[in-house]
Amino acid sequence: MTINEKNYAYGASKSSIREIAAYGAARKAQIGAENVFDFSLGNPSIPSPDAVRESIERSLQLPPTQLHSYTPAAGLPFVREKLAASLCRRYGENTAAAGDLYLTCGAAASLSISFHAVVNPGDEVIVIAPYFPEYRVWIETAGATCVEVMADPETFQIDTEAVRAAVTPRTKAVVINSPNNPVGSVYSAQNLAALADVLHEREDALGTAIYLVADEPYREISYGVEVPWVPAIYDRTLVCYSYSKSLSLPGERIGWVLVPPTNPDHDRLVPAIAGAGRSLGFVCAPALFQRVIADCCDVPSDVDAYARNREALTRGLSELGYHYIEPQGAFYLWVKALEPDANAFFERAKSLELLPVPSDSFGCTGWVRIGYCVSYETIVNSMPAWKKLAESYK
Amino acid sequence: MTINEKNYAYGASKSSIREIAAYGAARKAQIGAENVFDFSLGNPSIPSPDAVRESIERSLQLPPTQLHSYTPAAGLPFVREKLAASLCRRYGENTAAAGDLYLTCGAAASLSISFHAVVNPGDEVIVIAPYFPEYRVWIETAGATCVEVMADPETFQIDTEAVRAAVTPRTKAVVINSPNNPVGSVYSAQNLAALADVLHEREDALGTAIYLVADEPYREISYGVEVPWVPAIYDRTLVCYSYSKSLSLPGERIGWVLVPPTNPDHDRLVPAIAGAGRSLGFVCAPALFQRVIADCCDVPSDVDAYARNREALTRGLSELGYHYIEPQGAFYLWVKALEPDANAFFERAKSLELLPVPSDSFGCTGWVRIGYCVSYETIVNSMPAWKKLAESYK
């Protein structure tokens, strides 16, 4: 074995989502962009708010040596102060102090760093399926085993009894993602409280500590439902955040990990997060965009365009008789395939130039994900194809 | 063991360089900035060229969804095309194609990713001491053992016979850094050719493959000496580059790994690099700064200010009788301590408000590193203190 075979495999295997997107791009070139309905990617379609450009322009007035220099590993102190103050305004006093925040190169870094901070080789980390497939990659790279627990098959809320059954003495963490990719569900306060009860009960019974890793890039994108603040419900929480979706900045890689002051292991987790960032090769989050998020952390996300798409998509598919989970957040619709095999359903959709993502990519059978972070026209114009698809099963 | 103790320790222990810099900042607040001569950090003191600001301003004219969106994991294709063309102009045809470059969040990411791409648990990676101390952290995090081989104690070129003696069947890579931090030396073509001979001889004798990881953030900062292109001398090379020093952008985290087309394992290394980036949580290099380096990769580094500092510092210390290694590149001067214990020498320097870094931080005894990426005035005004320090040993 000359090189690292595991990382070779991670690089040589393509993400099935990216493969569908690549097919979509090629097909558009072939038959015209307006004839292909590509719902595969989660790339925000609304532009960053003007405040982002204005913030960058303001920063360019600073001396370059100040603007572009190394920052402390956890981020510029004034930036962390501003973010912490914003969190306290939203979720209550004592939600966060500057020293509780560690700025990262986006949510992927936040999650990878969090896993490396808490797990030891042989530990287990529970994910709620369907789930973002990269979770498994980061969990396994941190040396732990990824344990899938299916969400409730009706509501796609967390099946807390299934979580209880999956916890072992080696369970170090549970990852939740709400608003959820791929389902679009938001876990209710009641559901999270039931999860907290289960985890506390298991911690007490097993004499272990179980961390809840809350992956929240879609927190600002919800449709009239409350997205509960997880650390207020469960004490051993780490919050992983990113501005990829809220400010439409996915390419700039900027986010954070919060170790809430109420986490009983706070004083050991803060250095463990910093140490994990250091050991993986993250030196600091990109300096210019640290300043951008300080300026823009209270700028409301423009969810109107997504809300309009959601409305058109759910109304249209409803009328055609499709069954889907009512989307409460994010920009994904989770639609029941019209046959048990989601891949076969996908192939038939594809033959009609419709490109959702089959649920097998997310660790679950029988559904597809429609990413509606596309143009409104794409949704409206896709309806005849969705109609044909439904009719083909009659 | 609740959390990851190794990463806790990496976060809880302070870098001795950062500790000296923190002391310097506190001391300046106490007695006035002009009275403290802080030579501890490697933060570039010359501003980024105007072309950087101009490039950012130009990019801000693009639609934000295009500018800030996810890029392919390896970077934007047109950016990699431009960087590859620039490398071919400098180092000859067939130096690099776009597909050989993987853009990263800076040199730390380049190195961490390279180690994770090639090593397996139990492997050994050789570093040439004195060396940048984070190498050990990244090598150990990738699961390998860090093996120190002292440079030639007179010239601080690579002691190739010592490397030969250190190679074992588990040696997976050798890291070199030229222009060198902390010494300021540049490895000659002759020295690198001798290293290549040793590594090839050992590969043949042991039936193994040994990678040369060339860490080159200081490539553009040299003083009238040629910095040889390593892949032209040794085939199994990976080049790790960053724009932190050449464009004074250390906080923006932008660099690359090159798998040269002449590397015999090229076709397996390219996916292994991508897979390592993926598995560690790097999604793509910051998008805006990908465009900046495409625009600025041929902008010459402004080394004049460093050259002037170098001249003043070496002339001044020469006259005072200090022994140092003639600096050929980077912005560090490697000065012999006036007593065997570099830490004791540092403490005496500190009492005179001089703050170099003792060599023990770099895996070597008896020297100090003076970072001369400071203002010219700091160098000139420090001379009386260096004089007092020398006199105190007479």
Side-chain angles (χ1 to χ4, degrees):
Chain A
M1 200 159 54
T2 355
I3 62 170
N4 187 289
E5 295 299 326
K6 199 170 44 106
N7 282 320
Y8 170 79
Y10 284 141
S13 67
K14 297 274 176 256
S15 138
S16 54
I17 300 174
R18 293 229 173 211
E19 271 192 354
I20 296 169
Y23 169 83
R27 188 71 179 148
K28 282 178 183 177
Q30 230 173 357
I31 64 166
E34 70 284 7
N35 299 314
V36 180
F37 307 103
D38 181 358
F39 299 103
S40 61
L41 286 184
N43 225 344
S45 57
I46 56 169
S48 307
D50 289 342
V52 166
R53 187 180 28 76
E54 289 158 12
S55 169
I56 295 172
E57 284 169 351
R58 234 176 357 260
S59 282
L60 290 177
Q61 308 304 315
L62 291 171
T65 44
Q66 183 186 343
L67 176 56
H68 300 304
S69 74
Y70 288 115
T71 78
L76 290 163
F78 89 89
V79 174
R80 294 190 290 150
E81 293 285 356
K82 283 203 71 171
L83 302 180
S86 170
L87 289 170
C88 289
R89 274 196 303 278
R90 292 180 198 207
Y91 306 114
E93 269 184 75
N94 200 30
T95 294
D100 306 330
L101 285 162
Y102 178 89
L103 270 55
T104 65
C105 295
S110 297
L111 287 160
S112 170
I113 287 170
S114 293
F115 296 140
H116 279 84
V118 301
V119 311
N120 288 292
D123 283 350
E124 295 164 2
V125 176
I126 291 173
V127 299
I128 310 299
Y131 64 101
F132 182 52
E134 296 301 279
Y135 289 170
R136 173 177 288 276
V137 175
W138 301 322
I139 288 166
E140 291 180 351
T141 299
T145 304
C146 179
V147 176
E148 297 179 4
V149 171
M150 266 304 296
D152 179 294
E154 295 300 317
T155 63
F156 284 88
Q157 296 278 304
I158 302 164
D159 180 344
T160 56
E161 285 313 307
V163 171
R164 186 196 305 276
V167 171
T168 78
R170 306 247 43 158
T171 303
K172 183 55 63 64
V174 177
V175 189
I176 60 172
N177 173 221
S178 171
N180 183 261
N181 173 13
V183 172
S185 51
V186 170
Y187 299 147
S188 69
Q190 197 181 4
N191 188 227
L192 292 168
L195 176 67
D197 285 347
V198 161
L199 297 182
H200 278 142
E201 183 272 320
R202 287 287 83 195
E203 280 187 323
D204 289 346
L206 298 168
T208 58
I210 303 175
Y211 298 99
L212 193 54
V213 178
D215 175 28
E216 306 206 329
Y218 298 100
R219 167 163 285 277
E220 320 310 334
I221 301 172
S222 66
Y223 309 101
V225 299
E226 193 216 343
V227 180
W229 181 243
V230 181
I233 298 172
Y234 186 71
D235 55 354
R236 279 202 169 87
T237 295
L238 293 170
V239 183
C240 294
Y241 190 80
S242 143
Y243 297 87
S244 293
K245 317 296 176 180
S246 58
L247 295 175
S248 294
L249 293 174
E252 306 300 355
R253 314 312 305 144
I254 186 80
W256 44 255
V257 180
L258 170 67
V259 182
T262 45
N263 189 312
D265 307 323
H266 173 274
D267 294 356
R268 285 170 49 75
L269 285 169
V270 168
I273 292 287
R278 178 185 175 195
S279 73
L280 295 173
F282 295 100
V283 170
C284 61
L288 174 61
F289 282 89
Q290 291 189 30
R291 291 173 187 273
V292 168
I293 62 171
D295 283 344
C296 302
C297 63
D298 289 325
V299 174
S301 297
D302 175 14
V303 295
D304 289 354
Y306 299 137
R308 190 163 164 247
N309 285 357
R310 168 181 174 272
E311 173 60 24
L313 184 61
T314 52
R315 189 163 17 87
L317 294 189
S318 249
E319 285 168 6
L320 296 172
Y322 284 94
H323 173 60
Y324 56 82
I325 301 300
E326 192 64 35
Q328 302 171 299
F331 36 56
Y332 304 109
L333 187 71
W334 191 242
V335 180
K336 187 102 181 135
L338 296 178
E339 60 182 303
D341 180 349
N343 290 313
F345 178 68
F346 165 75
E347 287 301 329
R348 203 184 287 195
K350 189 173 151 190
S351 72
L352 296 166
E353 314 303 346
L354 293 170
L355 299 174
V357 178
S359 59
D360 302 67
S361 299
F362 306 101
C364 158
T365 58
W367 298 73
V368 293
R369 183 188 83 171
I370 300 178
Y372 57 83
C373 49
V374 295
S375 74
Y376 183 72
E377 290 63 42
T378 300
I379 293 186
V380 172
N381 296 338
S382 71
M383 281 303 149
W386 289 112
K387 184 158 187 260
K388 263 194 219 164
L389 181 61
E391 280 166 356
S392 80
Y393 281 97
K394 277 179 188 150
Chain B
M1 202 158 54
T2 354
I3 62 171
N4 188 289
E5 296 298 328
K6 201 170 43 104
N7 282 321
Y8 171 79
Y10 284 141
S13 67
K14 298 274 176 256
S15 137
S16 55
I17 300 173
R18 292 230 171 208
E19 270 193 355
I20 296 169
Y23 169 83
R27 188 70 179 150
K28 281 177 182 176
Q30 228 172 2
I31 64 167
E34 70 284 7
N35 299 314
V36 180
F37 307 103
D38 181 0
F39 299 104
S40 61
L41 286 185
N43 224 346
S45 57
I46 57 169
S48 306
D50 289 341
V52 166
R53 188 179 29 75
E54 290 157 11
S55 168
I56 295 172
E57 285 168 350
R58 236 180 352 263
S59 283
L60 289 178
Q61 308 303 314
L62 293 170
T65 43
Q66 182 185 343
L67 176 57
H68 301 304
S69 75
Y70 287 116
T71 80
L76 291 162
F78 88 90
V79 174
R80 295 189 289 150
E81 293 285 356
K82 283 204 70 170
L83 301 180
S86 170
L87 289 170
C88 289
R89 275 195 303 278
R90 293 179 197 208
Y91 307 114
E93 271 184 73
N94 200 28
T95 293
D100 306 331
L101 285 163
Y102 178 90
L103 271 54
T104 65
C105 295
S110 298
L111 288 160
S112 170
I113 287 169
S114 294
F115 295 140
H116 279 84
V118 300
V119 311
N120 287 293
D123 283 349
E124 295 164 2
V125 176
I126 291 173
V127 299
I128 310 299
Y131 65 100
F132 182 52
E134 297 300 281
Y135 289 170
R136 172 176 289 276
V137 175
W138 301 323
I139 289 167
E140 291 181 350
T141 299
T145 303
C146 178
V147 177
E148 298 179 4
V149 172
M150 266 303 296
D152 179 294
E154 296 298 317
T155 63
F156 284 87
Q157 295 278 305
I158 302 163
D159 181 343
T160 55
E161 286 312 306
V163 171
R164 186 195 304 276
V167 171
T168 77
R170 305 248 42 158
T171 303
K172 184 54 63 64
V174 178
V175 189
I176 60 171
N177 173 222
S178 171
N180 184 262
N181 172 15
V183 172
S185 51
V186 170
Y187 300 146
S188 68
Q190 197 181 4
N191 188 227
L192 291 169
L195 177 67
D197 286 346
V198 161
L199 297 183
H200 279 142
E201 183 271 319
R202 287 288 82 195
E203 280 186 323
D204 290 345
L206 298 167
T208 57
I210 303 175
Y211 297 99
L212 194 53
V213 178
D215 175 29
E216 305 205 331
Y218 298 101
R219 167 163 285 276
E220 320 311 334
I221 301 171
S222 67
Y223 309 101
V225 299
E226 193 216 343
V227 180
W229 182 243
V230 181
I233 299 173
Y234 185 72
D235 55 354
R236 280 204 169 86
T237 295
L238 292 170
V239 184
C240 295
Y241 189 80
S242 142
Y243 296 87
S244 293
K245 318 295 177 179
S246 58
L247 295 176
S248 294
L249 293 174
E252 306 301 354
R253 314 311 305 142
I254 186 79
W256 43 255
V257 179
L258 170 68
V259 182
T262 45
N263 189 312
D265 308 323
H266 174 274
D267 293 356
R268 285 172 46 77
L269 285 169
V270 168
I273 292 286
R278 177 185 176 195
S279 73
L280 295 173
F282 295 99
V283 170
C284 61
L288 174 62
F289 282 89
Q290 292 190 30
R291 292 172 186 273
V292 168
I293 62 172
D295 283 345
C296 302
C297 63
D298 288 326
V299 174
S301 296
D302 175 13
V303 296
D304 289 355
Y306 300 137
R308 189 163 166 246
N309 284 358
R310 168 181 174 273
E311 172 61 23
L313 183 62
T314 53
R315 188 163 18 86
L317 294 189
S318 251
E319 283 168 7
L320 296 172
Y322 284 94
H323 173 60
Y324 57 80
I325 301 300
E326 193 65 34
Q328 301 172 298
F331 36 55
Y332 304 109
L333 188 70
W334 191 242
V335 181
K336 186 101 183 137
L338 297 177
E339 60 182 300
D341 179 350
N343 290 312
F345 178 68
F346 166 75
E347 287 300 329
R348 204 186 284 195
K350 188 174 152 189
S351 72
L352 296 166
E353 315 301 348
L354 294 169
L355 299 174
V357 177
S359 58
D360 302 68
S361 299
F362 305 101
C364 157
T365 58
W367 299 73
V368 293
R369 182 189 84 170
I370 300 178
Y372 57 82
C373 49
V374 294
S375 74
Y376 184 72
E377 290 63 42
T378 300
I379 293 185
V380 172
N381 295 339
S382 72
M383 281 304 149
W386 289 112
K387 184 157 187 261
K388 263 193 218 163
L389 180 61
E391 280 167 355
S392 80
Y393 281 95
K394 275 177 189 151

